[in-house]
Structure formats: structure tokens, C-alpha cells
Amino acid sequence: MGGPYKVVFTHTAERYAIVALDWDSKPSLGIRWFWGAKGNPCSTGYPTWFIYPSELVYSLLNGLPLDYAERRQLDRYLTGEIGGTEL
């Protein structure tokens, strides 16, 4: 996972967060559930992020209640128009 990352959406009742981050040097989205001692997913006992496949990113974003300006910035980031520091 490469930084910087930005929290895109959190759902406190369902206890998950979605972030924009660089994965394998590409703009991506990741998700992590926060419950129990470590949350999910974990790898060898360490918290990790599940990275959405690029084919699913826009379907995910379309289902989130994001305002226009936030969504536009995420689209610009995911297409490589801006970097993570500009989110």
C-alpha cells in the first residue's frame, strides 16, 4: 500500500471504511471492516486492506452517497489526472 491515502466513506453502524490509495503504483480503492480486536481482513495477524479490482471500482462509487465535488475528485484521482496528495 502506498500513501497518501484518503478516507472516502465510513459506515459506523456497519463498521467499515473505504479509502482511496495507491496499490501497486496505481490509484485504487480499498475496504476494511472494523470489528473485534483486529477487524477484517488480516494477514498473519496484521490488519490489511482489501483492494477492489479496477473493474468494480465505479460500481462501488456509484452506490455511495458522495456529493458531486467529492466524486469528481475521486474520478480525477482514479483516472490519474491528479495524485493522492491532491485528494
Side-chain angles (χ1 to χ4, degrees):
M1 179 174 125
Y5 69 91
K6 176 182 171 44
V7 176
V8 172
F9 182 77
T10 58
H11 194 298
T12 54
E14 295 291 328
R15 297 181 290 203
Y16 69 87
I18 297 171
V19 297
L21 52 86
D22 287 347
W23 175 255
D24 201 18
S25 300
K26 296 176 191 147
S28 304
L29 294 181
I31 189 169
R32 179 159 174 67
W33 288 266
F34 296 99
W35 49 268
K38 295 181 182 176
N40 194 29
C42 283
S43 177
T44 61
Y46 294 98
T48 59
W49 290 91
F50 172 82
I51 305 301
Y52 273 88
S54 59
E55 297 84 6
L56 301 177
V57 165
Y58 288 103
S59 294
L60 170 68
L61 288 177
N62 289 339
L64 296 176
L66 303 174
D67 69 33
Y68 177 80
E70 288 176 302
R71 175 59 191 266
R72 177 69 182 124
Q73 282 296 90
L74 283 169
D75 288 342
R76 292 178 66 212
Y77 167 71
L78 291 167
T79 60
E81 188 178 329
I82 63 171
T85 58
E86 298 170 273
L87 280 174

